[in-house]
Amino acid sequence: MYWNKSILREWNYREICWWCGSAELSREHKYKKTDINLLYGSNFFQNDKLGLLRYRKSNELIKIHGPDSDYFKFQKSLCQNCNNARSAKMDSAYTKVIEFYLNNEQTIKGSKFIDFKMIFHDSWLEDKRNFYKYCLKHIGCRLVAANLSPSKNIVAFLNDDEPLKDVKIVFQLKQYFVGDPGDEVFHLYTGPLNRFEERHLIIGKKITAAASWYTLKQFSINYLYRLGILHSDKDIFSSSLINLDFVDFKAIEGQQFQIDSKEPQTSYGKLVEYMEYFPFNGVLQDLLHYQYLKGYKS
């Protein structure tokens, strides 16, 4: 019988931590608490900006009353130790990178890269790894929420046992505005987790890849999960830089978008989705995004 090693496994262990196997589960944030505070301010939930961050459930608009709301968290899939003590350095490295981005946004937009030496100095290599590990922790929780198993390589990379091979990460800058030119977009956005199948002899279609992204303001972390997508991570960690792919919106300059006054949240949501996917739009947008990540060379 033919068996393809690239098939992604399902996750069927709802009562254990996907990282270490412990049963003392907690909930990891989809949107990091510090991200919310850095982007909107610590008083976000006490002022009139509350309307900027709401979730739709059926026809109801649900207000979020604080950064610890369950709407900001994954289902329980990590234990308390992995979610806190084991990943503390990863969380810290990620937060420092985001702080640096927000404090140096114009310079970064000009250079199209982030230099980890400027953030971490002599410890740049260790902390660049920790930054990637934080991304992998988020991706692992995202996979489990979609009933996909994080690979052994993801866990081994988090444990410093193997180079990263199963996840490719591409960073983007998305300089779009909604309204008048110069109006910045302040939002957190998580793209859908799109799954891709391949047909195999006898066993039929099976999932062999998954892709998505996370955007903070205009900085996007895109990822493609496919077994063996990287031969090694040598190129990633040989330099203190991460290159940022600049998304050019000139092709739609002057185009007008209508917000339906009867359903403004829905209209705005569709507009943001269009911009977040751009330039991959239409019925093939998921596939085009996947092909972009698969073929991207920094």
Side-chain angles (χ1 to χ4, degrees), residues 116-132:
F116 278 66
K117 279 186 180 178
M118 294 184 68
I119 309 171
F120 300 106
H121 309 292
D122 291 341
S123 68
W124 71 263
L125 179 56
E126 177 187 358
D127 284 301
K128 188 175 183 181
R129 287 185 178 277
N130 282 331
F131 173 73
Y132 268 76

Side-chain angles (χ1 to χ4, degrees), residues 76-219:
K76 290 184 178 181
S77 61
L78 278 177
C79 70
Q80 292 182 10
N81 185 49
C82 288
N83 201 13
N84 296 304
R86 275 188 97 184
S87 59
K89 290 184 178 180
M90 306 172 196
D91 293 0
S92 176
Y94 170 84
T95 298
K96 287 179 181 178
V97 171
I98 297 302
E99 286 177 338
F100 181 82
Y101 160 67
L102 293 174
N103 290 330
N104 299 275
E105 195 170 356
Q106 295 306 315
T107 301
I108 290 169
K109 286 177 180 178
S111 66
K112 298 183 177 62
F113 64 76
I114 293 176
D115 188 346
F116 278 66
K117 279 186 180 178
M118 294 184 68
I119 309 171
F120 300 106
H121 309 292
D122 291 341
S123 68
W124 71 263
L125 179 56
E126 177 187 358
D127 284 301
K128 188 175 183 181
R129 287 185 178 277
N130 282 331
F131 173 73
Y132 268 76
K133 286 178 184 178
Y134 175 82
C135 295
L136 267 291
K137 185 178 79 161
H138 172 91
I139 293 165
C141 292
R142 190 85 195 278
L143 293 171
V144 168
N147 298 319
L148 290 174
S149 178
S151 67
K152 291 180 180 179
N153 175 254
I154 289 177
V155 174
F157 176 73
L158 290 173
N159 293 336
D160 291 320
D161 293 333
E162 291 181 8
L164 181 61
K165 295 182 179 180
D166 292 349
V167 178
K168 184 178 183 180
I169 299 178
V170 176
F171 303 96
Q172 291 178 316
L173 280 177
K174 299 177 176 177
Q175 284 191 269
Y176 67 85
F177 60 88
V178 178
D180 296 323
D183 287 352
E184 294 185 283
V185 175
F186 286 83
H187 70 210
L188 300 171
Y189 186 91
T190 298
L193 186 74
N194 298 314
R195 289 169 279 196
F196 303 91
E197 297 178 330
E198 292 180 15
R199 187 177 296 278
H200 302 287
L201 184 66
I202 301 176
I203 59 176
K205 284 187 174 181
K206 294 293 180 180
I207 298 172
T208 55
S212 188
W213 72 95
Y214 172 79
T215 298
L216 183 145
K217 199 172 182 182
Q218 295 176 334
F219 174 59

Side-chain angles (χ1 to χ4, degrees), residues 7-19:
I7 294 172
L8 303 183
R9 297 178 180 274
E10 294 183 357
W11 180 257
N12 297 311
Y13 310 100
R14 292 294 171 194
E15 297 179 357
I16 64 170
C17 171
W18 62 262
W19 185 351

